[in-house]
Amino acid sequence: MELVSQNKCFGGTQSVFRHASELCGVEMTFGLYMPPQTRTRRVPLLWYLSGLTCTHENAMIKAGLQRYAAEHGLALLFPDTSPRGEGVADDQAYDLGQGAGFYVNATQQPWARHYRMYDYIVAELPNLLLGKLPLNGVNGITGHSMGGHGALTIAFRNPGLFRSVSAFAPIVNPTRSDWGRKQFSAYLGDDEANWGNYDACLLLSELGWRGDILIDQGAADQFLDQLQPEAMARLMAERRQAGVLRMQAGYDHSYYFVASFGEDHVRWHAERLNAA
């Protein structure tokens, strides 16, 4: 881990690191906020997965989560959304390629060489941080849009790694959305039988979730047809899944929406992670 930058923030430190990723085959960058409580004890870690076109930096700068993380004694991790750099496959469209990894392990060329974002989040990053930082091994995960899709699918498949999960405007049913079908065809191939491991609705139906779920969705979101929150709401009701999906009147898809409800999410995770 090479330290790129470090700034004092709400009594803690906001750092940016880069490292050589064995899985992705390139240097990867992530942001890490350590709250002031780490001076005396180990703390839980809340992962934040960002959406399309974002880097590690967007939420780190715009979401305003550090203030609430400092109040509740949580560390924050902001991974990048894809591998990047010369030689990494890309596309002219904003929703495919660099900045649009969709948190999957690509199996199709030219993507398979570098696009291993699922394993990067689930295996490589946890192993990189293990033992190097004052973290207590208790993890929660959240994210926005494509990152909300990533947070839900990764948590549902890895309940031993993540104790709590929430999302802001997630893509909940990507196998039935243009934000999903296009990318899954490219990254995973045309056989839709291989897509189910990356669809939150399909995974919740198959695997369930032992805890409760918090989802916030802006009712004025310009991408509602892609996000399909009603599919998750119906499924949670049918399964009697503990949790809540809140439609927030007047809010769109922007970081103004994330920042408006960020305090709720950090506090919600803190209640579950600090009680572990």
Side-chain angles (χ1 to χ4, degrees), residues 224-254:
L224 277 174
D225 289 345
Q226 303 279 22
L227 304 172
Q228 301 183 15
E230 64 277 3
M232 179 60 73
R234 284 194 301 266
L235 180 60
M236 290 175 67
E238 290 169 1
R239 288 188 55 86
R240 299 181 180 177
Q241 169 65 49
V244 59
L245 193 158
R246 307 188 300 193
M247 296 296 295
Q248 303 290 2
Y251 285 90
D252 59 16
H253 199 68
S254 69

Side-chain angles (χ1 to χ4, degrees), residues 42-164:
R42 295 179 180 272
V43 299
L45 178 62
L46 177 58
W47 297 59
Y48 183 100
L49 305 186
S50 289
L52 286 167
T53 75
C54 292
T55 69
H56 69 281
E57 197 172 44
N58 293 72
M60 189 179 84
I61 293 174
K62 297 179 181 179
L65 303 180
Q66 293 92 336
R67 174 181 177 179
Y68 313 117
E71 291 176 3
H72 295 285
L74 295 184
L76 298 172
L77 182 63
F78 304 96
D80 203 348
T81 55
S82 78
R84 299 177 189 273
E86 187 176 350
V88 176
D90 200 8
D91 191 272
Q92 291 184 344
Y94 76 95
D95 57 354
L96 187 66
Q98 295 186 35
F102 263 76
Y103 305 100
V104 306
N105 288 335
T107 60
Q108 306 299 301
Q109 298 302 335
W111 314 103
R113 180 182 175 191
H114 297 292
Y115 285 73
R116 308 281 301 174
M117 290 304 296
Y118 175 84
D119 281 349
Y120 178 70
I121 298 297
V122 170
E124 187 167 18
L125 261 185
N127 289 336
L128 181 70
L129 300 177
L130 187 66
K132 294 183 176 67
L133 297 164
L135 303 171
N136 65 9
V138 180
N139 296 276
I141 191 167
T142 188
H144 174 230
S145 193
M146 179 186 74
H149 139 79
L152 293 171
T153 56
I154 287 171
F156 294 163
R157 291 176 63 183
N158 298 275
L161 179 58
F162 294 102
R163 188 175 295 269
S164 59

Side-chain angles (χ1 to χ4, degrees), residues 15 161 217 235 268:
S15 304
L161 179 58
Q217 173 63 63
L235 180 60
W268 186 89

